[in-house]
Amino acid sequence: MFVFSLLCYRSILGVIFILPFALLLERGKWKELDTKALVWLSINAFVGMESLRLKSKEASAKVVGALLCFGGALLISMYNGKELHLFTSVIKGIIKISNGVAGGQHHMRGTLLLLGDCICYAFWYPIQVKVLKVCPWKHWSSMLTCVLGGLQTGVVGMFLRRDKLAWQVGWNIQLLTIVYLAALGTTANYWLNLYAVEKRGPVFPPMFNTLSIVFTMVLGALLLGESITVGSLLGSALVFSGLYMYLYGKARELHAKTSSGSSNEKLQAQPTHDSKFEVPRFGP
């Protein structure tokens, strides 16, 4: 399937999925959207980051956890070691291609595109912080993101291919793929990411992305009979350890903020003494 038609159709269908929630739960909020919000939703070109106090234990745990997750993902991808055939294939008749290469001839181009995708994906989460400031209504924000994404991919796709075959969709697996991606991969993904960024900051959601490598490895072994290697097991252990350390540091940081906020409220609630209204004391 032509990839830009897939992206365009899933964005358009995502609008249909999320528009009823926006009209029901955030009724009338679209009137408060200004040009600035539309520009940020369209360009998405702002870079921020969580504030790190490197001298604190909480920030150190977050940084070490992120580095461990990154190292674990690299270890899974780059080191194999001894193969461990722990499971038999559930799906039969799978033809394995040598070295995992499907005959592609543009590896350098694909590598550069993959690198660009990772960089843009890393920028996308801090961008949500700015988006929430100019457009705090998550349903309308997700809906407008789908609209603008559909327009952008549609224009690029029409520039690349204009034949009807590239944009034709029938009652087959292509339509099911579009519906699935529109409902979960686009609409739910945008909304849940905005919610997580609003509650925990821009670094919290992507910390769980490394788990997809572990899940892919496990499902590949269970369903396709792929071998699990020593390197993948060691990398998975690093990923889980790093994620635990990050969540531990994040929880301690939130607890410290909550404690300081409650203590400030108690101090503000204490009555102040004024010498002009102080009751005079008599006697020794």
Side-chain angles (χ1 to χ4, degrees):
M1 187 176 183
F2 183 43
V3 64
F4 281 97
S5 65
L6 172 64
L7 297 175
C8 180
Y9 290 151
R10 79 168 189 174
S11 297
I12 295 174
L13 198 58
V15 174
I16 299 174
F17 281 141
I18 202 168
L19 184 59
F21 294 96
L23 293 174
L24 182 63
L25 301 177
E26 297 173 345
R27 182 179 302 175
K29 296 297 183 181
W30 64 271
K31 298 178 181 180
E32 303 180 26
L33 295 173
D34 54 6
T35 307
K36 184 179 180 181
L38 294 177
V39 169
W40 277 109
L41 287 169
S42 179
I43 299 177
N44 277 349
F46 180 81
V47 181
M49 196 61 172
E50 288 190 19
S51 58
L52 291 177
R53 300 186 302 272
L54 294 179
K55 294 182 179 180
S56 64
K57 296 181 180 179
E58 295 83 4
S60 300
K62 289 164 58 178
V63 173
V64 173
L67 292 176
L68 285 177
C69 284
F70 179 71
L74 284 181
L75 189 61
I76 294 175
S77 303
M78 302 180 67
Y79 175 71
N80 291 325
K82 185 179 179 180
E83 292 188 356
L84 306 174
H85 299 278
L86 303 178
F87 307 100
T88 58
S89 175
V90 175
I91 302 177
K92 305 297 183 181
I94 300 297
I95 301 176
K96 295 185 178 181
I97 302 174
S98 60
N99 299 324
V101 179
Q105 299 178 357
H106 301 286
H107 301 298
M108 181 60 67
R109 184 187 304 176
T111 302
L112 293 176
L113 289 174
L114 183 60
L115 178 62
D117 172 72
C118 293
I119 294 174
C120 294
Y121 194 62
F123 285 162
W124 188 74
Y125 281 101
I127 289 166
Q128 307 312 306
V129 178
K130 186 64 178 181
V131 170
L132 286 169
K133 289 181 180 179
V134 298
C135 183
W137 310 287
K138 291 182 285 294
H139 295 91
W140 282 108
S141 176
S142 302
M143 192 274 294
L144 288 174
T145 302
C146 291
V147 170
L148 296 170
L151 289 175
Q152 292 170 1
T153 53
V155 170
V156 175
M158 290 299 296
F159 178 77
L160 295 177
R161 290 188 62 179
R162 298 183 181 180
D163 55 294
K164 295 182 179 180
L165 185 62
W167 298 89
Q168 184 178 354
V169 178
W171 293 93
N172 48 28
I173 190 65
Q174 292 182 349
L175 181 61
L176 181 62
T177 303
I178 293 173
V179 173
Y180 170 80
L181 287 176
L184 297 180
T186 303
T187 306
N189 183 37
Y190 287 162
W191 191 93
L192 289 173
N193 274 295
L194 282 172
Y195 179 82
V197 169
E198 181 184 34
K199 297 298 182 181
R200 292 294 185 266
V203 182
F204 189 85
M207 281 298 298
F208 291 88
N209 289 341
T210 50
L211 291 180
S212 63
I213 302 176
V214 179
F215 292 153
T216 302
M217 177 190 68
V218 174
L219 290 176
L222 290 175
L223 299 179
L224 306 179
E226 295 181 352
S227 59
I228 294 180
T229 64
V230 175
S232 61
L233 290 179
L234 294 176
S236 301
L238 283 178
V239 167
F240 282 111
S241 301
L243 184 60
Y244 176 80
M245 287 194 66
Y246 175 83
L247 294 177
Y248 172 78
K250 192 69 175 178
R252 291 290 300 270
E253 185 181 62
L254 293 174
H255 179 72
K257 289 181 180 180
T258 305
S259 301
S260 62
S262 59
S263 61
N264 291 333
E265 291 179 358
K266 290 180 180 179
L267 290 175
Q268 293 177 359
Q270 291 179 356
T272 58
H273 298 282
D274 196 336
S275 58
K276 293 189 298 182
F277 299 99
E278 189 172 342
V279 178
R281 296 178 59 187
F282 299 97

